[in-house]
Amino acid sequence: MKTCKKCKKSVPNNMKICKYCGTDLSSVKPNSKKNKSTKPNVKKEVVEKKKNIDLEKTEILETKSFEKIDENYEEKEELSSFNILENKEKNNKKAEDLTKAQQIYVVKKKIKKRKVNRFIFLTILILIILFLGIKFFNKIDDMGYIVNGDEKINEVTFNMGDVITYKDISYIITKVETSTGTAYKKPKAGNHYLIVSLSLENKSDSKHHYSGTYFTMLDGIGNETNRIISPVNAGEDLYSGDLVIGGKKEASLVFETKKEEKDLYLQYYDPDDLEKVEQQEQNEDNKQEEEEEIVKITPKFRVKIKVN
């Protein structure tokens, strides 16, 4: 290689003219190796230094850029973490709010359900009470006056038409008639026959034995008479028999009373009490009779008789 004197550029040794500037190179000798190795290339060194400086600047810029990127990344990462935490807190708060709302809804639903159940229960209870009350009052109305059997006689004195219930058997005195008898049988002078019509109904859960002997007639001066058998009420007389559950009986009783007597009471005795008296009367042993306490019985109820 040889160097152009004018442009100082290297050209091949066989070149006669510089291909860069056109200068005649015929007199220019090729570069010796010694000169090439001993003569320093200042421009190349400057270029290389400049390149190195540029590389260092580039590296510095890149480093700063990377540091800035790292800083931005860290900031973004911190911001992202903060946003994640904030979002998480918001989500947790929303979840808590939702949970509270759900709990409130569940509680309200339970309260509403309780109110509905309470309303239904109270409605059913009121209906039951009304039903039982109606049934009870109907029963009271149907059973009328209930006699326990331990009342005083003035406490169990009733009027004709009253429903009187004793031991779940109802008694009603429906009407009272008088009769002078028949051709075959007449009352004593000054007397007449009193025909008392009555109705019985068995409201117990077992059959009931009835008899006309359970009734007596009490007058105003304290005389008590038993019923009599008379043809004036033939076919209607209350004899003895059994009244089935729910059974009814329409019959009548005949008593002989004074015509002027107006203060009359039909009295009913418990058959168990009458049986005790009968057993006492049948006892023929005087000693035993003296030792035994005399049975005293009272009527369980009585009805004021109005004679037309």
Side-chain angles (χ1 to χ4, degrees), residues 85-260:
L85 290 172
E86 189 177 9
N87 290 332
K88 191 174 181 181
E89 288 178 358
K90 287 182 180 178
N91 291 332
N92 290 335
K93 190 175 180 181
K94 286 182 180 179
E96 288 177 0
D97 293 340
L98 183 62
T99 304
K100 287 180 180 178
Q102 287 176 345
Q103 290 175 352
I104 292 169
Y105 173 76
V106 171
V107 171
K108 286 183 177 179
K109 193 174 181 180
K110 286 182 178 179
I111 292 171
K112 187 176 180 181
K113 189 175 180 180
R114 285 179 183 175
K115 286 182 178 179
V116 172
N117 291 337
R118 189 179 296 173
F119 175 77
I120 294 170
F121 173 76
L122 289 175
T123 303
I124 293 172
L125 183 63
I126 290 169
L127 291 174
I128 291 172
I129 291 172
L130 287 174
F131 174 77
L132 293 177
I134 292 169
K135 191 174 180 181
F136 176 75
F137 284 113
N138 285 339
K139 186 177 180 181
I140 288 177
D141 185 62
D142 191 37
M143 296 183 72
Y145 298 98
I146 299 174
V147 178
N148 296 320
D150 55 356
E151 300 92 344
K152 294 180 180 180
I153 191 62
N154 60 343
E155 296 176 349
V156 286
T157 301
F158 304 100
N159 297 316
M160 293 174 55
D162 290 341
V163 180
I164 307 158
T165 301
Y166 176 69
K167 290 186 176 180
D168 293 329
I169 308 299
S170 294
Y171 303 87
I172 306 174
I173 307 304
T174 55
K175 66 179 180 176
V176 174
E177 298 174 305
T178 59
S179 173
T180 58
T182 65
Y184 301 100
K185 190 172 182 179
K186 291 183 179 294
K188 294 178 182 180
N191 293 350
H192 61 186
Y193 291 132
L194 203 62
I195 305 170
V196 180
S197 298
L198 69 161
S199 173
L200 288 74
E201 183 178 358
N202 184 2
K203 297 179 180 179
S204 66
D205 54 0
S206 61
K207 68 179 182 179
H208 173 72
H209 184 74
Y210 62 87
S211 174
T213 59
Y214 302 158
F215 295 89
T216 65
M217 185 66 69
L218 180 70
D219 62 17
I221 59 175
N223 294 323
E224 193 171 8
T225 57
N226 295 325
R227 69 89 182 262
I228 62 173
I229 304 299
S230 173
V232 294
N233 65 337
E236 297 180 358
D237 195 15
L238 182 66
Y239 294 102
S240 296
D242 290 326
L243 196 61
V244 297
I245 299 171
K248 295 182 179 181
K249 177 72 176 177
E250 302 284 343
S252 62
L253 297 168
V254 178
F255 298 91
E256 186 176 347
T257 63
K258 293 181 180 181
K259 291 181 180 180
E260 66 273 11

Side-chain angles (χ1 to χ4, degrees), residues 34-62:
K34 185 177 178 180
N35 290 336
K36 187 176 181 180
S37 60
T38 57
K39 189 177 180 180
N41 191 345
V42 177
K43 187 176 181 180
K44 187 176 181 181
E45 289 178 359
V46 171
V47 171
E48 287 179 356
K49 285 182 180 181
K50 188 177 180 181
K51 284 183 179 180
N52 291 333
I53 290 169
D54 290 338
L55 286 173
E56 288 178 0
K57 286 182 178 181
T58 303
E59 288 177 358
I60 290 168
L61 289 173
E62 287 179 355

